[in-house]
Amino acid sequence: MLGTLVLLWLSVCLLFYLLRTHRAKNFPPGPQPIPIFGNLLQLNLENPIVDLNRLSERYGKVFSLYFGGRPAVILTGTQATRAALVSKAVDFAGRPHGLLLNHLTQGKGVIMADYGPSWREHRRFALMTLRNFGLGKHSMEERILGETEYVSALLEESVGKSVDPQTLFHNAACDIICSIMFGVRYEYDHQFFQAMIRMMAENSKIANGPWGMIYDTMPLLRSLPLPFQRALRDYNTVKLHVLEIIQKHRATRVPLQPRDVIDCYLDQMDKRRDDDSSLFDDDQMITLLLDLLFAGTDTTSNTIRSTILYLMTHPEVQERCQQEIDTVLEGRTQVSFEDRHKMPYMQAVIQESQRYASTLPLSVFHCTTRDTELMGYSIPKGTLVIPNLSSVLNEVGQWKFPNEFNPENFLNDQGEIQKNESFMPFSVGPRMCLGEGLARMELFLILVTLLRRFQFVWPEDAGEPDFTPVFGVTQAPKPYNINVRIRNCQEG
């Protein structure tokens, strides 16, 4: 019996030795993977950031891990991230294949589309269309401020109560982008509207969480009834509804008189109707719309929730923001995006919230488009690349107070906003987040409007604040409640 156990143990050891992964010559170093799992068992899949930072301390700013049998290069810190995504932007501009997010989007749209003509044309179209519908202009301000009135009305109803703001800010951000894409604003309790909100929140957690990692690493399990099936099902449900909206647009549109993004896309399809090589079609349109929906909702709403949490737990920061707002807006009924130039402290608070919250902790995974080199290492074409943006946003030596919430991280000695090359909450390079411009407008206009009207207070019975985030493609604060008070200030 003992001899059989020894033989079995030796067989297992031999199998592991034969199957163990050998890194290619001059490939970035990293921990030894084990067969089947790679390095997955060495990571806390609920939130791998701490483990990734720990491994970087041992193996360097550019190191490698294996997800199953698939090698991945992890970029840590400002120098490595900028060297790859900026200095060698084209080499690192691809998107990996075979992941859950690929299967959701089928590689179409812009977020998960691989680097190439379709991605370039659709990104250009999306940015141009957002500008045409007012991004950076007064018309977009009115759209955002109009939605903020709905938020304010609900907050006024909550005065004196302890309420959870989670869905409120998701609703507002989602409605703003829906009005641009679909030409309509939804009531917050609308069935399809709430389905979209749930789909984005759940899929964000699944895609970069344990079940997403299992899906990405173990293809044999993909057909089993595990939680990642819900992500696929929910995404397809929303796709079908968006297809219905597109069909209604086809029946009611007036060519070359676009009401929204869908009409603009249909105009593009008409324009290219006789071009057999056209990259614009219904499948691309649906995925692009869902990309815009995700890019325009999750990052903004989660950053607002994080900011409110930090302001409640740092009341002196909230008070200083309100003093600056009152001074700049004295005698006026509403804020303008141009006012940001007169509110350096408010800008610093928003940027510090983005930094400290690290809403896009691992960016969206990249992939090398050709054989390349980075900081002395050789990285083959098709290698998965993961920028650890959290490591950049908290890097010691790059920030005055890297591990605490402090707006002084963005202010010079004269109290003016100062730029920092490590501030990349939406990544950097050609694949940086498509929704950044809209997010910056929303964050400033919504937060200034709300802080002018309300004081946000941590509930006395809520216990100690927990700043541990809920990890996902977009990182969110844990659910919390707020107390809302009306401010005694004059708005003109």
Side-chain angles (χ1 to χ4, degrees):
M1 181 67 179
L2 180 61
T4 302
L5 290 175
V6 170
L7 183 61
L8 180 62
W9 181 77
L10 290 173
S11 299
V12 170
C13 290
L14 178 62
L15 181 65
F16 267 61
Y17 176 79
L18 294 173
L19 292 177
R20 69 175 182 167
T21 305
H22 295 277
R23 284 175 171 79
K25 184 179 180 181
N26 205 35
F27 194 66
Q32 177 64 42
I34 63 174
I36 302 175
F37 297 100
N39 297 114
L40 280 185
L41 301 182
Q42 295 165 276
L43 300 175
N44 173 11
L45 299 185
E46 292 290 342
N47 190 337
I49 299 297
V50 172
D51 292 322
L52 292 178
N53 291 337
R54 173 180 53 80
L55 290 168
S56 173
E57 290 176 1
R58 179 174 179 181
Y59 295 104
K61 299 297 185 181
V62 179
F63 69 96
S64 63
L65 293 174
Y66 279 78
F67 294 97
R70 182 174 193 166
V73 171
I74 316 299
L75 308 177
T76 307
T78 305
Q79 182 184 6
T81 302
R82 297 192 76 89
L85 305 188
V86 178
S87 300
K88 292 198 167 185
V90 173
D91 291 10
F92 288 86
R95 287 290 192 234
H97 300 283
L99 305 181
L100 176 59
L101 287 176
N102 293 112
H103 294 165
L104 288 174
T105 65
Q106 297 179 325
K108 299 181 184 295
V110 287
I111 293 179
M112 290 306 298
D114 207 354
Y115 185 78
S118 180
W119 168 77
R120 278 192 292 270
E121 286 205 34
H122 280 87
R123 185 177 176 91
R124 188 182 304 118
F125 166 83
L127 292 171
M128 178 187 69
T129 304
L130 287 173
R131 282 196 294 270
N132 290 343
F133 280 99
L135 185 58
K137 303 174 186 176
H138 186 67
S139 58
M140 185 65 78
E141 287 186 19
E142 291 299 322
R143 195 187 298 262
I144 296 168
L145 292 171
E147 191 62 39
T148 309
E149 288 301 312
Y150 290 97
V151 176
S152 296
L154 290 172
L155 287 174
E156 286 180 5
E157 294 175 6
S158 303
V159 169
K161 305 173 187 175
S162 182
V163 296
D164 182 350
Q166 181 168 354
T167 57
L168 181 59
F169 296 127
H170 264 75
N171 290 345
C174 189
D175 243 336
I176 291 167
I177 194 65
C178 280
S179 69
I180 299 168
M181 294 192 310
F182 307 143
V184 296
R185 179 193 176 274
Y186 293 95
E187 294 299 325
Y188 290 165
D189 59 357
H190 189 279
Q191 186 176 1
F192 166 63
F193 185 76
Q194 285 304 315
M196 288 193 297
I197 298 288
R198 286 193 301 273
M199 181 271 290
M200 286 184 286
E202 286 298 316
N203 287 9
S204 173
K205 286 188 288 186
I206 290 172
N208 264 11
W211 290 112
M213 292 288 188
I214 290 171
Y215 183 97
D216 296 343
T217 305
M218 303 176 187
L220 291 175
L221 302 181
R222 290 177 181 176
S223 60
L224 297 180
L226 296 170
F228 45 67
Q229 296 293 347
R230 186 171 68 247
L232 296 164
R233 185 173 60 251
D234 289 350
Y235 190 85
N236 286 327
T237 298
V238 175
K239 274 181 69 173
L240 289 173
H241 193 91
V242 171
L243 183 59
E244 290 180 14
I245 296 173
I246 292 170
Q247 299 302 351
K248 290 178 182 176
H249 274 61
R250 277 199 166 99
T252 59
R253 65 187 278 256
V254 177
L256 302 180
Q257 294 184 27
R259 300 161 291 184
D260 47 39
V261 174
I262 292 178
D263 281 354
C264 288
Y265 199 99
L266 291 171
D267 282 344
Q268 282 292 319
M269 289 176 66
D270 285 349
K271 182 179 177 182
R272 301 161 186 250
R273 191 179 303 279
D274 298 326
D275 182 359
D276 293 336
S277 62
S278 173
L279 300 169
F280 284 68
D281 58 37
D282 279 5
D283 287 341
Q284 288 280 9
M285 172 168 39
I286 293 172
T287 307
L288 174 64
L289 292 170
L290 291 177
D291 282 354
L292 290 172
L293 182 69
F294 186 83
T297 298
D298 241 35
T299 51
T300 300
S301 58
N302 286 333
T303 303
I304 292 175
R305 287 176 56 218
S306 297
T307 306
I308 297 296
L309 173 62
Y310 305 148
L311 290 173
M312 286 192 299
T313 53
H314 298 78
E316 74 286 354
V317 174
Q318 182 175 178
E319 183 178 357
R320 185 171 167 185
C321 285
Q322 290 165 331
Q323 290 173 349
E324 184 178 69
I325 292 167
D326 293 344
T327 299
V328 173
L329 300 185
E330 184 179 9
R332 290 165 48 195
T333 57
Q334 64 182 27
V335 64
S336 166
F337 191 47
E338 281 300 306
D339 290 324
R340 71 191 186 282
H341 301 301
K342 303 173 187 175
M343 298 186 190
Y345 192 74
M346 188 69 219
Q347 280 196 79
V349 167
I350 292 171
Q351 292 180 190
E352 176 65 356
S353 296
Q354 292 176 284
R355 183 195 74 83
Y356 196 65
S358 186
T359 303
L360 206 64
L362 298 180
S363 184
V364 178
F365 294 174
H366 288 238
C367 181
T368 47
T369 59
R370 56 193 176 205
D371 292 349
T372 188
E373 291 188 356
L374 180 67
M375 297 178 71
Y377 296 113
S378 300
I379 304 176
K381 177 182 178 179
T383 301
L384 178 66
V385 177
I386 302 176
N388 182 356
L389 295 186
S390 284
S391 71
V392 178
L393 296 172
N394 295 282
E395 189 170 9
V396 175
Q398 296 294 324
W399 304 97
K400 302 174 191 174
F401 309 97
N403 298 313
E404 64 180 82
F405 175 81
N406 192 326
E408 295 297 326
N409 278 312
F410 289 92
L411 296 170
N412 61 21
D413 293 339
Q414 290 72 46
E416 302 165 332
I417 282 285
Q418 60 181 7
K419 292 184 178 181
N420 188 320
E421 68 169 2
S422 298
F423 183 58
M424 50 180 85
F426 297 117
S427 193
V428 287
R431 300 301 303 236
M432 69 187 299
C433 180
L434 180 62
E436 183 197 14
L438 179 59
R440 289 199 305 120
M441 282 192 77
E442 289 176 306
L443 290 172
F444 181 78
L445 295 174
I446 292 172
L447 286 166
V448 168
T449 300
L450 296 183
L451 284 171
R452 191 184 193 193
R453 297 184 185 182
F454 304 105
Q455 181 183 8
F456 299 99
V457 180
W458 184 256
E460 292 182 1
D461 60 351
E464 288 296 315
D466 185 354
F467 296 102
T468 307
V470 178
F471 181 75
V473 176
T474 55
Q475 195 161 246
K478 287 184 177 179
Y480 65 83
N481 281 12
I482 60 175
N483 277 346
V484 183
R485 299 174 185 172
I486 302 290
R487 291 189 64 225
N488 296 317
C489 66
Q490 298 296 317
E491 296 186 5

